[in-house]
Amino acid sequence: MILAGVDGDRAWRLQDYLARGGYSALKKIISEKIPPEAIIAELKTAVLRGRGGAGFPTGLKWSFMPRSFPGDKYLACNSDEGEPGTFKDRDILRYNPHSVIEGMTIAAYAMGCARGYNYIHGEIFEIYQRFEEALEEARAANLLGADILGSGFSFDLFAHHGYGAYICGEETALLESIEGKKGQPRFKPPFPASYGLYGKPTTINNTETFASVPFIINMGGEAFLNLGKPNNGGMKLFSVSGHVNRPGNYEIPLGTPFSELLEMAGGMRGGRKLKAVIPGGSSSPVLPADVMMSCTMDYDSISKAGSMLGSGAVIVMDETTCMVKALERLSYFYFEESCGQCTPCREGTGWLYRVVHRIENGLGRADDLDLLNSVTGNIMGRTICALGDAASMPVQSFIKHFGGEFQYHIENKKCLVSPEVQYEGSQIYVSPSC
Amino acid sequence: MLSQESLQQIDREVAKYPADQKQSAVMAALRIAQVEKGWLPQELIAFIADYLEMPAIAAYEVASFYNMYDLEPVGKHKITVCTNLPCALSGGVHAADYVKQKLGIDFNETTADGKFTLKEGECMGACGDAPVLLVNNHHMCSWMTKEKIDQLLADLESK
């Protein structure tokens, strides 16, 4: 849908988007004078759930905006994609930026916003530049700006780049960052719908969420819902990384069996055995191979299996992976990226990293697993934002499912998987199709 | 302190935000200043703050919070390799080791000739392209096999 057949060099250009039927949803809304309430109702029928990670119903979120509020209202797109394993928004902006612009313009119309910002991850600066060009194209064609297509509706949209801070993917940190401050999350409530950017009502959605909107308007909410499964409407992009033959993005109906997704990604590299999968980005609990192989790729199935669909980032690990080493790297990431505002997270992520690090390096102590569980227990639910929980869930789930491997490390001062096997398994690998 | 061209670029950024919210342009302004000067000495950060009519400490907070700003001099070419888990499973660490070996430096070091600085990066949102590295923050290089690393370093060396 969003990425179907759009991988050519010029596919991102306005002309190509128009040739694919682009901006027809916006034109339909304008020419048929579809009321904002009807657009929001359509999204609710579609059961479009936020594609950034939380899976919150988009229609419901839009209905929280005080449409009749007389002052400024803002719209923000969260393209600050830095959750390890996730790389779908980059491809959407790279190959189909106008779908995001159109989706945001429809959202602005539905919620009465006059101005919006797309916050783009700093590390993909070339994509930020491309998005700015796409904005220029849309402005020149009067699809953006004052009095869009003579409708009397005005909306302007700008690109804002990050510069290396994972935390800005948290929606209130993102707003702080647009305001030109450190990206430190705000207390909620008040929620952004009442106190957002510059203190004004603001709605923030993920890139893929916005990009799905034009399709829903065109095909109707019911048809979109039916692409997926009940309570899990539509198609979804899955970023598959790790030990597969063809890492990449795969856009499939929600509810597709994991085994089919694995097959699409070329199966296991070197025909090796699947060991574990992180199904929804690094913050979601890891699942062992057998549990994962019985899951379908949708919010409800993955949640039932004890994890989260999150952003749809599927990190595949085979039998050559040392689970302690894998967790050590993730724990370092959260330690490095904690914004430092809340003591349990700032100090706790350091504790988690240092303890996992010493286990990995043969210095683990008999009570270290209890210590790790105690630290996570003291972080979770005690911080302003979800980063503390995100740092804790991998630790808890790695210990829960692979505790034996951690125990082996502590008792034998070495990895269960021999270093030679690990070394071979993590060699530089580039798919021949790249 | 900055060229006319850089100042014009900053003005274009300022125009994206409401008139009373110039501070919103600070991230872009610091980036533009860093591109021109190579890194961000305190006087430059203070200049940007002044230009955007915000306290110098607020601009410094931003410059020190986001990790792509360099508060110390770096080599002509800064190379940042992602070693996070998804990249590591496809050779991110091996690629970083190879760059270290080729340049004879470790992470956070600069070659004696001042040409290269090497950094370890966090997730760049391009895990499917592993191994991934950034050149001078803005240019992403994907699927970096040893051959491609050789080629890249040779190209940068001659620049």
Side-chain angles (χ1 to χ4, degrees), chain A residues 393-409:
Chain A
M393 285 187 289
V395 175
Q396 291 179 340
S397 60
F398 271 69
I399 293 175
K400 179 178 169 196
H401 294 297
F402 299 93
E405 205 172 325
F406 283 75
Q407 208 61 52
Y408 183 93
H409 261 266

Side-chain angles (χ1 to χ4, degrees), chain A residues 61 93 104-105 108 143 148 191 203 259 276 287 302 305 349 398 410:
Chain A
K61 192 186 242 186
L93 295 174
M104 288 190 77
T105 308
L143 293 159
I148 293 172
F191 289 93
T203 291
S259 55
L287 293 174
I302 302 285
T349 51
F398 271 69
I410 293 170

Side-chain angles (χ1 to χ4, degrees), chain A residues 74 81-87 90 94 115 117 119 121-126 128 132 158-165 167-168 177-184 198 240-243 247-248 269 278 315-317 321 326 329-330 332-333 336-337 339 423 425-430 434, chain B residues 13 15-19 21 23-31 34-35 54 58 61-62 64-69 82-95 98 120-131 134 136-146 149:
Chain A
Y74 290 98
E81 188 178 48
E83 166 97 355
T86 318
F87 48 93
R90 169 176 176 245
R94 177 157 59 162
R115 196 187 268 263
Y117 294 95
Y119 190 104
H121 198 43
E123 285 83 346
I124 53 169
F125 193 76
E126 287 149 322
Y128 163 83
E132 292 233 289
F158 303 93
H160 181 106
H161 66 73
Y163 225 55
I167 191 60
C168 290
S177 188
I178 297 179
E179 291 182 4
K181 301 171 188 165
K182 291 188 287 186
Q184 292 191 319
Y198 309 127
V240 184
S241 64
H243 289 139
R269 190 178 301 165
I278 299 177
I315 307 171
V316 178
M317 292 173 274
T321 312
R329 186 60 185 86
L330 291 181
Y332 179 77
F333 169 72
E336 170 74 27
E337 297 295 335
C339 81
Y423 186 85
S426 63
Q427 281 294 346
I428 295 175
Y429 172 82
V430 172
C434 294
Chain B
E13 294 295 331
K16 290 180 179 178
Y17 307 96
Q21 300 290 348
Q23 178 171 342
S24 283
V26 68
M27 292 184 67
L30 290 169
R31 181 253 306 165
Q34 180 166 290
V35 167
M54 63 192 280
E61 276 185 355
V62 169
S64 57
F65 185 85
Y66 299 90
N67 66 26
M68 289 161 71
Y69 297 115
C82 178
T83 59
N84 209 311
L85 180 62
C87 272
L89 296 172
S90 288
V93 176
H94 290 267
Y98 187 66
E120 183 172 31
E122 284 306 340
C123 187
M124 298 167 184
C127 324
D129 293 13
L134 285 179
N136 289 336
N137 297 323
H138 295 170
H139 177 52
M140 185 175 279
C141 302
S142 300
W143 302 301
M144 296 308 283
T145 56
K146 288 182 179 176
I149 291 171

Side-chain angles (χ1 to χ4, degrees), chain B residues 8-64:
Chain B
Q8 278 166 7
Q9 280 182 42
I10 294 174
D11 292 343
R12 277 201 294 277
E13 294 295 331
V14 170
K16 290 180 179 178
Y17 307 96
D20 58 347
Q21 300 290 348
K22 277 180 134 177
Q23 178 171 342
S24 283
V26 68
M27 292 184 67
L30 290 169
R31 181 253 306 165
I32 292 161
Q34 180 166 290
V35 167
E36 184 183 324
K37 300 293 186 188
W39 65 291
L40 296 172
Q42 284 206 19
E43 313 82 76
L44 186 54
I45 297 171
F47 171 81
I48 295 290
D50 213 32
Y51 195 78
L52 298 175
E53 297 162 15
M54 63 192 280
I57 184 66
Y60 189 78
E61 276 185 355
V62 169
S64 57

Side-chain angles (χ1 to χ4, degrees), chain A residues 119-341:
Chain A
Y119 190 104
I120 300 174
H121 198 43
E123 285 83 346
I124 53 169
F125 193 76
E126 287 149 322
I127 308 292
Y128 163 83
Q129 290 173 312
R130 171 173 291 187
F131 190 75
E132 292 233 289
E133 266 192 78
L135 287 175
E136 281 307 316
E137 287 184 326
R139 277 188 205 111
N142 192 218
L143 293 159
L144 207 55
D147 191 20
I148 293 172
L149 301 175
S151 63
F153 163 64
S154 300
F155 174 61
D156 217 341
L157 177 59
F158 303 93
H160 181 106
H161 66 73
Y163 225 55
Y166 167 67
I167 191 60
C168 290
E170 197 281 339
E171 60 180 12
T172 58
L174 181 146
L175 298 178
E176 288 284 302
S177 188
I178 297 179
E179 291 182 4
K181 301 171 188 165
K182 291 188 287 186
Q184 292 191 319
R186 300 174 181 171
F187 276 107
K188 289 191 276 192
F191 289 93
S194 52
Y195 190 93
L197 184 62
Y198 309 127
K200 304 292 181 191
T202 304
T203 291
I204 304 123
N205 284 120
N206 169 258
T207 320
E208 186 184 354
T209 309
F210 281 125
S212 303
V213 170
F215 293 94
I216 293 170
I217 301 300
N218 280 327
M219 71 169 65
E222 192 71 36
F224 183 86
L225 172 63
N226 291 337
L227 285 174
K229 66 182 232 189
N231 198 36
N232 297 264
M235 308 276 279
K236 167 97 189 75
L237 276 160
F238 288 95
S239 305
V240 184
S241 64
H243 289 139
V244 294
N245 281 313
R246 281 194 304 274
N249 282 313
Y250 297 89
E251 191 172 24
I252 56 174
L254 282 167
T256 303
F258 168 72
S259 55
E260 280 181 31
L261 177 61
L262 185 59
E263 211 167 296
M264 279 179 226
M268 297 303 294
R269 190 178 301 165
R272 295 193 297 253
K273 204 170 144 233
L274 179 68
K275 181 172 185 175
V277 176
I278 299 177
S282 62
S283 310
S284 65
V286 67
L287 293 174
D290 55 329
V291 175
M292 198 61 210
M293 288 305 277
S294 66
C295 284
T296 56
M297 299 308 290
D298 55 84
Y299 298 95
D300 296 340
S301 168
I302 302 285
S303 159
K304 212 171 139 196
S307 188
M308 303 184 310
L309 190 74
S311 54
V314 182
I315 307 171
V316 178
M317 292 173 274
D318 70 20
E319 56 195 335
T320 68
T321 312
C322 167
M323 299 311 278
V324 182
K325 198 183 180 83
L327 180 63
E328 181 198 19
R329 186 60 185 86
L330 291 181
S331 294
Y332 179 77
F333 169 72
Y334 292 105
F335 166 53
E336 170 74 27
E337 297 295 335
S338 171
C339 81
Q341 189 173 211

